[in-house]
Amino acid sequence: MNEKIATLFRTIAGLNSAEECELLFEDLCTNKEVEQMAERAYAARMLMEGKTYSQIIAQADISSATLSRVSRSIRLPLHLMRFKRIYFWAKEAGSRGTAFARKRSSR
């Protein structure tokens, strides 16, 4: 792994709250980039809940190619699954949303 990427991951892992994460992503990413990451996490959650591609594409702003990539990650053994933590985070966050999502939607 590239050292710059490793540094980014360590920075994210060292954050103490959703608010700190929001501020970091606000500084590093465009609104669209954050929305795209959120849609991928949402799609991963829906796949793991047994939703079909058609249902996910109807509910999420995601292309079939991106959904296919997310799906390949979901089908990995659980201990290798890249979206495992995202799924459990998204499931926990549920419909209550995050401060980041509320702030973005009010703009």
Side-chain angles (χ1 to χ4, degrees):
M1 176 184 320
N2 168 324
E3 182 56 33
K4 292 174 188 174
I5 294 171
T7 299
L8 172 64
F9 291 159
R10 284 191 300 271
T11 300
I12 293 168
L15 298 174
N16 296 313
S17 67
E19 290 75 23
E20 286 183 7
C21 190
E22 175 184 349
L23 293 171
L24 178 67
F25 277 84
E26 197 171 76
D27 288 345
L28 296 178
C29 303
T30 65
N31 290 345
K32 186 66 176 171
E33 290 167 332
V34 172
E35 289 168 4
Q36 289 171 335
M37 286 187 280
E39 290 297 333
R40 289 174 183 167
Y42 181 62
R45 175 183 171 195
M46 292 185 359
L47 280 167
M48 293 182 75
E49 291 173 349
K51 304 284 193 226
T52 66
Y53 271 41
S54 298
Q55 290 171 317
I56 295 167
I57 288 173
Q59 293 180 16
D61 184 18
I62 192 168
S63 72
S64 58
T66 300
L67 181 55
S68 178
R69 219 175 358 220
V70 171
S71 178
R72 280 192 302 273
S73 296
I74 296 299
R75 285 182 272 156
L76 291 172
L78 196 56
H79 69 283
L80 298 175
M81 188 183 305
R82 287 177 258 167
F83 284 99
K84 178 181 172 187
R85 288 190 179 115
I86 291 172
Y87 169 74
F88 289 109
W89 165 81
K91 188 167 178 80
E92 181 181 305
S95 61
R96 70 176 182 205
T98 63
F100 184 80
R102 287 191 299 274
K103 183 176 179 181
R104 295 274 182 218
S105 65
S106 66
R107 288 184 180 175

